[in-house]
Amino acid sequence: MQQLQRIANREQEMLVVDLEDVAEYEKTFADLVSRIQNNTRRYVNLFSEVVDALMPMPTKDISDQDEVIDVILHQRRERNEQTEGIQEGFPNHLLRRYNLYFRPLRADIAMAVREVRGLHLGRLITVRGIVTRVSEVKPLLLVNAYTCDVCGSETFQDISSKQFTPIMDCQNENECKKNGIHGSLHMQTRACRFVPFQEVKIQEMADQVPVGHIPRSMTVQVQGPLTRLMNPGDVVHLGGIFLPIPYTGYQAVRAGLLTDTYLEAHYIHQLKKQYNDMEITPEMRAKIDQLQNDPALYTKLAHSIAPEIYGHEDVKKALLLLLVGGVTKTMGDGMKIRGDLNICLMGDPGVAKSQLLKYISKVAPRGVYTTGKGSSGVGLTAAVMRDPVTDEMVLEGGALVLADNGICCIDEFDKMEESDRTAIHEVMEQQTISISKAGISTTLNARTSILAAANPLYGRYNPKVSPVENINLPAALLSRFDLLFLILDKPTRDDDERLAHHVTHVHMYNTHPELEHEPVEPVLMRHYIALARTHRPIVPPEVSSYVVDSYVRLRKLSRDEEEQKKSHTYTSARTLLGVLRLSQALARLRFSDIVTHLDVDEALRLMECSKESLLEDAEKERDPDQSPQSKIYRIMKDMAKAGRGSGKKRKTVQSRKKRLGKGPGGERDSDVDMDEDYDDSGDEGMEEIPIVQIRARVLAAGFTEVQLNDTISAYEDLDLIARVANGSRIRFISVPES
């Protein structure tokens, strides 16, 4: 009754009858739910008649929301009151200001389109599919209104089908028929009742199509408040009445006795909601808070991406940042700066590139998976089609348009035709698609991240040939990728053995081996990312100067590599933007609104990792040791040199030349010449750093606490570091320059 009161006050348009409630409260009529399911259209009318009888009077003034039909009905009532004895009834459907819908039972299994049969006609069914085309919203005529040119009375005609015959003669018995006059009727459009109408096409999901078949589609008609709730690319469960409809016009001549079918939508359930539309329940919020407080959050979330796939830690971290994304900025003059990341995975066959792409397309709310050879330029951007409802030329969005505000995964990127690949250039930088065809000139939004996977030119990476020849992609395209990972399959006994154990475990037990961290469920990860994307981190001045210095250093390295002819990627201003986007994504992941030095360091580390696989073995030998312990020690050493810890730095020679007091050996009241006994070469960087700061930095860099403890123990044995202050600080006994 509260809902009916809101409908009477014109505050609500939908009246949803949940069949779960009917099943719960109508215990005496055990078969009422099944009757409603088997003859839904009839029960819509029955329920509407009951609602009309129960409808209360408005409790507030609604005259400001009156339509023309309300004014006519009000005038008719006043005339009836003046003319005693004559009561003209009004059809109830004229007074209805609501749409009545049935929500299916939760136990109903969503069917594929090909499973819908003739026995389902007139029944309430649930169908699962992906929305491929959505028509524009048009007004649908429900009640036609006429005015007599003789007596001026109004006549209303109920329209229930696509075709109707207009009434020509006045039916008013009081005026025209009494005087024997046949007044002609004229249609009054303002007094007619219209309802928003939209036609949607849904198609079967790929997992529902049998071998050797193509996906089938179904027409869905949506009316009233349910319009504009679906977009192309949405995966939905649609509850509605399966009904037949005869062909009309020229189609009827060609079809003969055949009849078309459609689904009259009553309930729409989005399976993969966009980040903005996600509702976070208190239970989910508690899980997110617990996850946020985890010190190894970054590593844990990265390992949760495709846990069945062995290794590729840095690639998974990059894919996690791809899901989070940077901040898209709009300038005052309308110019946009892209925030979405683009990543290319280039590698040998059998390194699970396609599986990673498939996983990302499933986790992302709007993920579209396509392959290079099977995608034309039109299939990626937009095609000009003829709308079957209005017969107008319309644009049908391709894969990049369907992935708007999502991720477009393109496999076999190297096998695309050059003409088709050019369609992606504009999308990757400007995030729009400009189209001029069939008299339509427009710009479509394609705010999508692109995740591409490609094989090297010779099938496998050829180390004897330069990287540029191996990659075989134009430089203009490569510079648009923020990260380009080259995943090489180099045979090493330990790695191969671990990989084989991992793969056989997955095949034997149908699950991944136990990880160090329990992987995060995809649903929780999606909600966590949705919350992370609400933050808009900024870059403070001190971090900004650090980014500038890092970029200048990268440019210098790039120039040196070019001179030595070892370069395979070009460091440009896009590289600088890529570092900023990665840093913002890392800050978002912590729910922070400020980018820190650590975020920039991790972004630069990922960029280095993406190039690392190309270093030849000789170069790797010249490089420092790449073991986790050496990397952690180098992080600690950098903190000591930079004085980043808020520790107690021992005063060096410059701060005190000569004084009486405690000497370096601990002696008291001795006149010590600091210039002679205090050798500043070894102790210049002597520093005590809180172990808490070291742990935070090391965990943020993707290492574990076990590796940190092993490193401290190993370097203590070498007498390079020592724990002081009851083990809460680390002191460097000597900090070597190299």
Side-chain angles (χ1 to χ4, degrees):
M1 291 306 293
Q2 291 173 353
Q3 289 194 60
L4 295 189
Q5 188 63 63
R6 284 201 295 274
I7 290 170
N9 293 344
R10 309 280 171 88
E11 295 171 354
Q12 182 177 328
E13 291 183 2
M14 286 177 68
L15 184 62
V16 180
V17 179
D18 198 333
L19 291 187
E20 295 281 350
D21 296 341
V22 179
E24 185 177 343
Y25 292 107
E26 288 293 333
K27 299 292 185 188
T28 51
F29 287 100
D31 59 343
L32 181 60
V33 172
S34 63
R35 287 185 189 179
I36 293 173
Q37 287 176 324
N38 292 333
N39 195 5
T40 315
R41 177 62 76 83
R42 169 73 178 137
Y43 276 90
V44 168
N45 295 332
L46 285 174
F47 272 69
S48 299
E49 288 171 12
V50 175
V51 169
D52 292 338
L54 294 173
M55 187 66 70
M57 295 302 291
T59 55
K60 67 174 189 178
D61 183 23
I62 55 170
S63 56
D64 58 325
Q65 300 181 27
D66 280 352
E67 302 168 5
V68 175
I69 196 166
D70 295 309
V71 176
I72 293 172
L73 296 175
H74 180 68
Q75 292 171 349
R76 179 93 56 102
R77 282 196 203 95
E78 285 186 341
R79 194 176 66 195
N80 288 347
E81 288 171 5
Q82 293 169 3
T83 313
E84 294 183 5
I86 301 174
Q87 289 293 330
E88 293 184 33
F90 306 115
N92 281 329
H93 52 260
L94 285 184
L95 306 174
R96 280 180 198 153
R97 291 290 182 271
Y98 62 89
N99 293 76
L100 192 137
Y101 299 112
F102 285 112
R103 178 179 290 180
L105 294 169
R106 294 187 188 90
D108 282 2
I109 299 170
M111 295 188 287
V113 174
R114 66 181 62 241
E115 293 171 2
V116 181
R117 299 274 187 267
L119 59 92
H120 295 114
L121 282 173
R123 297 185 60 173
L124 189 70
I125 60 170
T126 307
V127 181
R128 173 169 167 250
I130 183 168
V131 179
T132 55
R133 185 167 54 78
V134 177
S135 73
E136 56 182 312
V137 178
K138 299 271 187 181
L140 179 73
L141 184 66
L142 288 184
V143 178
N144 208 358
Y146 305 90
T147 307
C148 177
D149 59 353
V150 176
C151 63
S153 64
E154 298 85 14
T155 304
F156 297 101
Q157 180 187 11
D158 191 14
I159 311 294
S160 57
S161 62
K162 270 192 173 182
Q163 292 180 322
F164 71 97
T165 306
I167 307 171
M168 304 305 294
D169 297 331
C170 180
Q171 307 292 322
N172 194 343
E173 297 179 359
N174 302 325
E175 299 286 341
C176 288
K177 285 199 175 179
K178 190 192 293 182
N179 301 329
I181 305 169
H182 291 285
S184 58
L185 296 176
H186 298 279
M187 186 173 165
Q188 292 293 329
T189 313
R190 291 188 64 203
C192 296
R193 273 204 62 206
F194 295 94
V195 68
F197 173 84
Q198 195 174 30
E199 191 170 274
V200 176
K201 206 91 169 172
I202 63 164
Q203 185 179 293
E204 283 179 313
M205 301 295 292
D207 56 346
Q208 296 173 323
V209 183
V211 179
H213 291 251
I214 60 170
R216 294 192 186 170
S217 57
M218 175 185 277
T219 304
V220 181
Q221 292 188 2
V222 188
Q223 295 183 12
L226 292 178
T227 52
R228 297 187 177 92
L229 293 183
M230 288 182 280
N231 296 308
D234 290 352
V235 180
V236 291
H237 278 181
L238 289 176
I241 314 171
F242 186 56
L243 295 168
I245 185 170
Y247 286 105
T248 55
Y250 175 69
Q251 281 183 314
V253 177
R254 204 170 50 171
L257 302 176
L258 298 179
T259 304
D260 199 6
T261 53
Y262 71 97
L263 189 77
E264 186 184 277
H266 274 232
Y267 174 68
I268 298 170
H269 174 62
Q270 296 271 7
L271 281 180
K272 287 167 72 172
K273 292 186 178 177
Q274 290 196 39
Y275 288 127
N276 305 336
D277 302 334
M278 284 191 182
E279 299 169 5
I280 296 178
T281 58
E283 298 85 21
M284 187 62 73
R285 185 74 211 208
K287 287 183 183 176
I288 288 173
D289 291 341
Q290 183 183 350
L291 191 61
Q292 188 195 350
N293 296 327
D294 193 331
L297 165 75
Y298 178 43
T299 312
K300 189 172 184 179
L301 284 175
H303 284 170
S304 303
I305 290 179
E308 293 82 12
I309 294 170
Y310 171 76
H312 301 324
E313 286 190 19
D314 290 323
V315 177
K316 289 182 179 181
K317 285 176 182 174
L319 294 180
L320 174 64
L321 299 184
L322 175 84
L323 286 168
V324 177
V327 180
T328 302
K329 296 185 176 67
T330 307
M331 302 291 126
D333 57 355
M335 189 181 80
K336 284 187 179 177
I337 297 177
R338 168 168 67 93
D340 295 306
L341 290 157
N342 296 322
I343 294 178
C344 180
L345 306 179
M346 170 84 67
D348 291 334
V351 290
K353 299 187 298 294
S354 299
Q355 291 287 9
L356 285 169
L357 261 66
K358 283 273 188 188
Y359 185 87
I360 292 294
S361 68
K362 285 188 172 68
V363 169
R366 290 176 72 85
V368 175
Y369 179 87
T370 180
T371 58
K373 203 68 178 171
S375 303
S376 64
V378 171
L380 285 172
T381 54
V384 177
M385 311 279 288
R386 193 174 288 280
D387 190 354
V389 181
T390 58
D391 211 34
E392 297 171 353
M393 297 298 281
V394 293
L395 281 176
E396 183 119 359
L400 292 169
V401 180
L402 291 182
D404 190 24
N405 284 329
I407 295 174
C408 184
C409 302
I410 306 174
D411 207 353
E412 307 294 350
F413 194 58
D414 55 314
K415 296 175 185 62
M416 288 181 73
E417 300 288 337
E418 189 58 42
S419 57
D420 299 335
R421 207 185 284 142
T422 51
I424 304 170
H425 282 243
E426 184 191 356
V427 174
M428 290 180 73
E429 205 53 53
Q430 308 302 326
Q431 299 208 303
T432 55
I433 294 171
S434 302
I435 283 172
S436 297
K437 54 175 83 168
I440 300 173
S441 286
T442 184
T443 302
L444 303 175
N445 279 326
R447 296 155 296 188
T448 173
S449 299
I450 289 186
L451 174 59
N455 288 332
L457 177 61
Y458 307 102
R460 282 182 68 89
Y461 188 85
N462 185 358
K464 296 177 182 175
V465 183
S466 70
V468 179
E469 291 178 38
N470 269 297
I471 291 172
N472 192 34
L473 286 175
L477 193 62
L478 286 180
S479 68
R480 286 174 161 86
F481 284 110
D482 297 284
L483 289 172
L484 173 73
F485 278 96
L486 285 120
I487 311 168
L488 303 186
D489 185 17
K490 294 186 177 177
T492 55
R493 177 170 176 80
D494 292 345
D495 288 347
D496 293 346
E497 198 170 342
R498 278 202 298 271
L499 172 65
H501 279 305
H502 185 100
V503 172
T504 49
H505 187 283
V506 170
H507 278 266
M508 279 192 294
Y509 302 107
N510 213 17
T511 181
H512 54 81
E514 286 189 16
L515 305 175
E516 292 178 12
H517 310 283
E518 185 64 31
V520 181
E521 297 171 2
V523 177
L524 175 58
M525 184 186 283
R526 202 176 293 155
H527 281 82
Y528 187 90
I529 290 171
L531 216 55
R533 287 172 71 98
T534 58
H535 293 271
R536 296 181 64 83
I538 57 167
V539 183
E542 63 273 12
V543 178
S544 176
S545 59
Y546 182 60
V547 173
V548 171
D549 296 341
S550 305
Y551 174 63
V552 172
R553 182 174 56 81
L554 282 174
R555 287 281 284 187
K556 184 176 181 301
L557 282 171
S558 175
R559 191 187 66 191
D560 295 345
E561 283 180 355
E562 278 182 21
E563 288 173 0
Q564 297 170 15
K565 296 187 177 177
K566 292 178 182 173
S567 173
H568 65 279
T569 54
Y570 178 63
T571 304
S572 65
R574 285 176 177 164
T575 313
L576 174 62
L577 289 168
V579 171
L580 286 169
R581 278 191 283 269
L582 288 165
S583 309
Q584 288 168 346
L586 283 157
R588 274 179 155 186
L589 208 56
R590 301 194 318 271
F591 289 178
S592 170
D593 291 325
I594 294 175
V595 175
T596 63
H597 281 83
L598 298 179
D599 297 330
V600 180
D601 287 343
E602 175 62 14
L604 291 167
R605 188 190 74 81
L606 281 173
M607 289 220 161
E608 285 300 316
C609 288
S610 67
K611 299 176 185 175
E612 208 172 69
S613 55
L614 279 187
L615 294 174
E616 295 176 9
D617 295 335
E619 291 178 43
K620 285 201 172 180
E621 283 170 17
R622 289 199 297 273
D623 275 4
D625 185 12
Q626 296 294 319
S627 67
Q629 288 188 3
S630 299
K631 289 180 178 177
I632 292 171
Y633 179 68
R634 282 201 290 277
I635 290 172
M636 292 158 60
K637 184 180 72 175
D638 291 343
M639 291 178 72
K641 278 190 174 182
R644 274 199 202 135
S646 58
K648 299 180 248 180
K649 188 160 183 173
R650 300 269 301 271
K651 291 186 179 177
T652 57
V653 187
Q654 290 80 4
S655 59
R656 51 174 189 166
K657 284 287 180 185
K658 283 186 180 181
R659 63 185 283 273
L660 291 174
K662 189 176 178 182
E667 59 271 25
R668 289 273 180 193
D669 300 327
S670 59
D671 189 0
V672 180
D673 185 0
M674 297 300 294
D675 281 334
E676 294 170 8
D677 295 325
Y678 211 78
D679 180 17
D680 73 293
S681 61
D683 275 342
E684 181 193 358
M686 280 182 70
E687 173 105 24
E688 290 180 9
I689 310 173
I691 214 160
V692 178
Q693 289 191 11
I694 294 176
R695 183 185 290 113
R697 174 79 184 272
V698 168
L699 291 179
F703 299 102
T704 62
E705 200 154 349
V706 176
Q707 290 171 329
L708 173 63
N709 293 332
D710 291 345
T711 304
I712 293 172
S713 302
Y715 281 91
E716 269 186 321
D717 295 341
L718 295 171
D719 289 336
L720 290 174
I721 58 175
R723 298 190 218 212
V724 294
N726 295 328
S728 65
R729 291 173 176 272
I730 295 286
R731 175 186 290 176
F732 282 78
I733 296 170
S734 69
V735 182
E737 287 302 314
S738 60

